[in-house]
Amino acid sequence: MLRRLRPLLLLLMFLAVVWPGHGGVPAVDSLRQRLATAPPDTTRVLLLLGLCRQSELSNAAERLRYGREGLALARRLGYERGELECLNALAATMLLQQDYVAASRHYQQVVRWAERRPWAARLAVQAWLGLGRVAAQEGQFAQADRFFRQAMAGMRRYAATPAELTMAQNHMAMLYAGWLRAGGPVPDSVPRLQERYARVALALYRRQSSKNELATVLNIMGVVHELAGRDDSAVYCHRQALQLHQRFGDGFGIAQTRLSLAVLYGKQGRWALAAPLIRTAIAEARQLQAPGLEAQGYELLADYMAATGRGQEAFRLARREQHLLDSLQTTEQREALLRLQVQFDTERQRSRVRALSQQARLQALAARKQRQYLLLTMAVLGVTIAGLLVAGVLGWRLRRSRAQLARQNEELTATRAEQDRLYALVAHDLRSPVVAFSGLADLMTRYIERQDTARLAGLGGRVRQAAQGLRALLDNLLSWALSQRGELVPTIENVEVGKLLAEVAELYQSGAEAAGVQLVLAPGAATYARADVNMARTILRNLVSNALQATPAGGTITLAAGAPGPVTVEIRVTDTGQGISPERIPQLLSGEVGPRPAHAPTSTGLGLRLSVVFARVLGGRLALESTPGQGTAAVLTLPAGIGASAGASAPAAPAGAPIPATGAL
């Protein structure tokens, strides 16, 4: 099998020196002249590297000598890039010499070094391609395909040029061609990929100015046509490639192309054309020191001899070919190559395991750090939340304190306003008895001077009236103070309203007579209320006192009681004074002291305010009903009590109090 594949494999090895990165190297003479004067530095390494890569050198041993000298100098200088470049160049030259063990060793060394150095990605790709060529030469096509794909993946990582990608595709096309010619099972995609890669490379190189690589691609297309059974097209491609190789002086390419043409002519039985090509190629291979090509030439020449009936000569040539092959591919060499490959694979597996272990350790470390960061973040978040809660509580307390302070300020303001109103009320209510006492003092002085004893005697009732008013004011002040301090607790009981009205009427009867006012107690059914007797009495006294002040001489004050509903009792104190304007009534009930209108002589103050408070404490209410010019009615509403039947008669009116014919107001 390998004998049939040898033309393809040798052509694949030839691609090792036709690499896009090697294009544009100076001529051999120019490199040698510069090398003669170059000092032992990196420039000299690059000159030696160029000579090692120079395909114009017909002596492979000379190229190896330049490469080894450059490698040694690069190692002395610590020039890593130059060292890797020299290793690749030496491996490519050894591959042409079919020294697969040394070539694999150099390529593997480049891969080991380059994978740890990002800047050497391009050199690693060249090494992967070289390892793929070695595997293809040994017939390990699947492994070669893996190496070539590894190289193409590396090219994509470092953004290789289109020419580099195309050269890798050429390698793939030649590999697939050899795989197909081997006759074994191949993946279904191999035939299609082989021709596609070859055509893409051919189209690319036809557009380039340099035609050196185009010759190699034409060789590949010739193989593609040969595998497809298109022998005429294959011959055309190889002839075109031969012309280009001859133009550029590429000895190895010339010899290989002659042998490829000889194979095609031999298949067609045109040995007259094949024989000169074979002999010329053998001579060129011997001059190039390329035993692989020479062995292929002897194999073809033996086939020619056998086809023309010269079996003895064919046998001798076959033995010579076998001797060359044995010298190149001994059993020990194959075993060494296999051991080297196994060692390389083992090292890569260990390296991958170490990388995965390191990655796992790094991931564990990163996870541990992430957990620490998470815990720290949670702690900071917890402290922040606690701080926010504390701030919220403090803010809530502050708002509550501010609200409490605002309420206290409002209460203080209300208390001061209440004090101001109280002072105004007290001053307002004190004014009347003080003025009365002052006027009585003036009258007494005048009557004494005139010795008018009759009138002087009549002043006693007025003095008593003024004193009663002052006493009532003092009682009201005391009751107000007790109610504000919460010390005045009502004692609720059933109170007979008629009896209570009679007591109040009797109390103010003399004052009414002195003022010329008629005090009337209206008859009604026996009515009971739930109230505190003293508070109710105080309310009625204040209402009657205010009515006396508001009623002019000749007027009437009526006291009446009734039950407008089953649960309430209503007590009315009605006068015939000037009345009160509607807008003034809320001010009087709230205790505000304002200017006194001329048409409303009613003097109300602390007594009315105290009456409103007492009515509320007793569970009732006090209201004023008035129309200007028609008098005022003070209405006290209390909860109804349990008493005598509705048919019971009212208590008798006090002496001197006329009872009108009409009923209750």
Side-chain angles (χ1 to χ4, degrees), residues 565-630:
V567 295
T568 58
V569 173
E570 191 176 89
I571 302 173
R572 285 178 172 269
V573 179
T574 307
D575 62 61
T576 58
Q578 293 296 322
I580 306 172
S581 61
E583 63 274 7
R584 178 69 175 159
I585 291 177
Q587 298 177 1
L588 294 175
L589 292 176
S590 64
E592 295 183 8
V593 179
R596 184 175 177 180
H599 63 278
T602 304
S603 176
T604 59
L606 183 60
L608 184 59
R609 181 68 182 280
L610 183 63
S611 299
V612 172
V613 174
F614 278 5
R616 190 180 302 116
V617 171
L618 295 176
R621 67 184 183 87
L622 181 62
L624 296 178
E625 299 175 357
S626 179
T627 301
Q630 298 181 10

Side-chain angles (χ1 to χ4, degrees), residues 33-327:
Q33 291 175 1
R34 295 171 59 187
L35 182 65
T37 58
D41 56 8
T42 57
T43 302
R44 184 176 182 84
V45 173
L46 296 178
L47 292 173
L48 292 169
L49 178 62
L51 288 170
C52 181
R53 289 173 173 171
Q54 185 56 254
S55 60
E56 295 180 8
L57 286 174
S58 58
N59 192 339
E62 187 177 6
R63 291 170 59 183
L64 289 175
R65 180 174 58 81
Y66 286 133
R68 286 166 180 157
E69 183 180 350
L71 177 62
L73 180 58
R75 287 175 175 173
R76 286 199 307 272
L77 296 174
Y79 181 27
E80 287 189 354
R81 180 180 292 275
E83 182 178 354
L84 296 181
E85 293 274 8
C86 289
L87 283 173
N88 267 338
L90 281 171
T93 305
M94 292 172 180
L95 190 60
L96 289 176
Q97 296 298 105
Q98 298 187 1
D99 188 356
Y100 303 132
V101 176
S104 295
R105 186 178 293 110
H106 287 335
Y107 280 137
Q108 290 174 7
Q109 189 174 359
V110 172
V111 169
R112 293 190 190 98
W113 283 38
E115 286 187 341
R116 297 192 300 268
R117 294 162 176 79
W119 53 264
R122 192 183 303 271
L123 299 175
V125 167
Q126 297 176 21
W128 282 118
L129 290 174
L131 290 173
R133 290 189 291 269
V134 173
Q137 177 65 25
E138 292 298 313
Q140 301 173 358
F141 300 109
Q143 188 175 21
D145 181 65
R146 180 169 59 87
F147 287 151
F148 286 158
R149 292 190 180 278
Q150 184 81 16
M152 295 182 71
M155 289 181 181
R156 286 190 290 270
R157 282 195 295 269
Y158 73 79
T161 63
E164 291 174 329
L165 288 173
T166 304
M167 181 55 65
Q169 292 171 346
N170 290 343
H171 284 74
M172 298 292 288
M174 288 302 301
L175 171 66
Y176 293 150
W179 204 342
L180 289 171
R181 182 169 287 183
V186 296
D188 296 337
S189 60
V190 167
R192 173 177 52 83
L193 292 176
Q194 178 231 354
E195 187 166 354
R196 182 174 71 85
Y197 284 146
R199 291 188 181 279
V200 169
L202 182 61
L204 175 65
Y205 284 124
R206 285 188 185 278
R207 295 194 298 267
Q208 292 184 354
S209 58
S210 175
K211 301 301 180 181
N212 192 20
E213 291 86 355
L214 179 59
T216 305
V217 177
L218 286 171
N219 285 129
I220 296 173
M221 284 304 301
V223 176
V224 170
H225 288 305
E226 179 185 355
L227 292 175
R230 299 187 292 267
D231 293 340
D232 293 338
S233 298
V235 169
Y236 172 79
C237 290
H238 285 309
R239 284 190 175 279
Q240 293 293 322
L242 181 60
Q243 293 177 6
L244 291 174
H245 287 313
Q246 289 173 343
R247 181 188 306 175
F248 290 102
D250 188 352
F252 190 93
I254 293 171
Q256 178 60 61
T257 306
R258 291 186 194 280
L259 292 177
S260 298
L261 284 170
V263 171
L264 288 171
Y265 289 147
K267 286 176 59 178
Q268 297 173 353
R270 302 163 65 181
W271 290 106
L273 296 176
L277 294 174
I278 295 172
R279 290 190 174 92
T280 304
I282 290 174
E284 292 172 344
R286 190 179 298 112
Q287 183 180 0
L288 290 171
Q289 296 183 2
L293 282 176
E294 187 177 356
Q296 181 188 359
Y298 282 126
E299 179 185 5
L300 292 175
L301 189 58
D303 292 340
Y304 163 67
M305 294 298 181
T308 57
R310 290 178 286 181
Q312 292 294 332
E313 295 182 17
F315 178 73
R316 287 195 300 272
L317 291 173
R319 291 190 63 181
R320 180 178 295 183
E321 175 215 359
Q322 188 62 44
H323 176 74
L324 288 172
L325 291 178
D326 289 343
S327 65

